[in-house]
Amino acid sequence: MRDDLEQRAQELAVYMIENRTTIRAAAKKFGISKSTVHKDLSERLENVNRPLYQQVKEILDCNKAERHIRGGMATRKKYKGI
């Protein structure tokens, strides 16, 4: 069971690095919850594969910094009818 969790965390990390995607998109692709993806990437991966964790951490930080912009664009799109 433990190896399975570590393997999933590494697969999620590789997917996010290759596609520069969000936690929500990764959760949808793998069919698991956003909470599970976040726990795998922020807690489990750090103990399993530190270099991979650092690469994912950069993407997560970038997504966090850009999230207010994405929300504004979604609202604009909603009310403009695009």
Side-chain angles (χ1 to χ4, degrees):
M1 180 73 170
R2 186 79 176 144
D3 293 333
D4 190 38
L5 296 175
E6 293 171 354
Q7 180 67 27
R8 182 181 67 199
Q10 290 183 20
E11 289 175 8
L12 283 165
V14 169
Y15 176 77
M16 284 195 67
I17 291 168
E18 289 177 350
N19 298 302
R20 304 251 346 141
T21 189
T22 61
I23 286 180
R24 187 174 292 217
K28 188 173 184 179
K29 167 80 170 131
F30 283 82
I32 54 180
S33 72
K34 295 180 299 184
S35 300
T36 302
V37 172
H38 191 271
K39 183 171 181 96
D40 283 350
L41 295 178
S42 63
E43 295 177 16
R44 289 188 181 113
L45 188 62
E46 186 175 11
N47 299 326
V48 175
N49 190 336
R50 185 79 174 159
L52 198 58
Y53 167 76
Q54 290 173 341
Q55 291 177 346
V56 170
K57 181 81 169 128
E58 289 177 20
I59 294 171
L60 294 175
D61 290 343
C62 180
N63 287 343
K64 187 174 181 179
E66 294 174 351
R67 108 177 127 190
H68 69 283
I69 296 169
R70 278 193 223 107
M73 295 302 289
T75 302
R76 181 176 184 211
K77 187 176 180 181
K78 176 182 175 181
Y79 288 108
K80 290 254 183 185
I82 297 174

